[in-house]
Amino acid sequence: MSGLDKSQLIELLEYPRRRILQSMELRYCPHAGFYNPTDMKCINCHQGMECTWMNHNDETIAVERKTVEDLKQQLLVAVDFIDSSLTPHHLSRRNCECENCIWLRKVQQALNI
């Protein structure tokens, strides 16, 4: 596991950042997408996972200070998010060339999964 290239893992975070931000509805968010664990609106919000993930991995966070294990864990959460957004016609991902499937294959290759 220690043979993983940290810079490659950091680079792989760029795609899910973009996708998660595109999926979020921030117009009515009182915190502009910054998750507040003490606010009942955040606790009950359907975008809680996305806000939490973004608050740990957006461009303003020094992800280069994270350990390889932390980066790997954050990528696995992002894989779940991207995977859940796929439609049923993505069942044969080996042949699919959409951005989502290409990114998923890159992560699988990087993490050897």
Side-chain angles (χ1 to χ4, degrees):
M1 200 67 64
S2 60
L4 289 175
D5 181 5
K6 192 173 184 179
S7 62
Q8 181 185 10
L9 298 180
I10 291 169
E11 185 179 316
L12 286 169
L13 290 173
E14 291 174 19
Y15 182 72
R17 273 188 204 128
R18 186 168 30 104
R19 286 295 317 251
I20 289 172
L21 279 175
Q22 287 172 349
S23 75
M24 294 175 71
E25 298 173 20
L26 298 176
R27 189 176 342 165
Y28 302 109
C29 178
H31 304 290
F34 292 97
Y35 185 76
N36 181 344
T38 62
D39 186 340
M40 287 307 291
K41 287 183 181 179
C42 285
I43 293 169
N44 295 315
C45 181
H46 69 282
Q47 297 182 135
M49 186 284 295
E50 291 92 336
C51 286
T52 302
W53 192 89
M54 286 302 298
N55 281 255
H56 288 96
N57 299 291
D58 75 359
E59 291 88 359
T60 63
I61 302 298
V63 291
E64 60 276 347
R65 292 185 185 166
K66 291 186 176 196
T67 66
V68 168
E69 282 302 312
D70 288 339
L71 292 169
K72 178 184 171 191
Q73 185 60 40
Q74 294 305 311
L75 281 170
L76 291 174
V77 172
V79 163
D80 288 344
F81 175 84
I82 299 295
D83 196 49
S84 71
S85 70
L86 297 178
T87 59
H89 79 274
H90 290 274
L91 292 175
S92 178
R93 292 190 192 128
R94 286 181 233 152
N95 299 325
C96 186
E97 292 298 319
C98 75
E99 284 184 316
N100 292 323
C101 291
I102 291 171
W103 181 82
L104 286 168
R105 283 194 299 272
K106 285 180 183 177
V107 173
Q108 289 171 341
Q109 185 178 27
L111 299 180
N112 290 322
I113 53 175

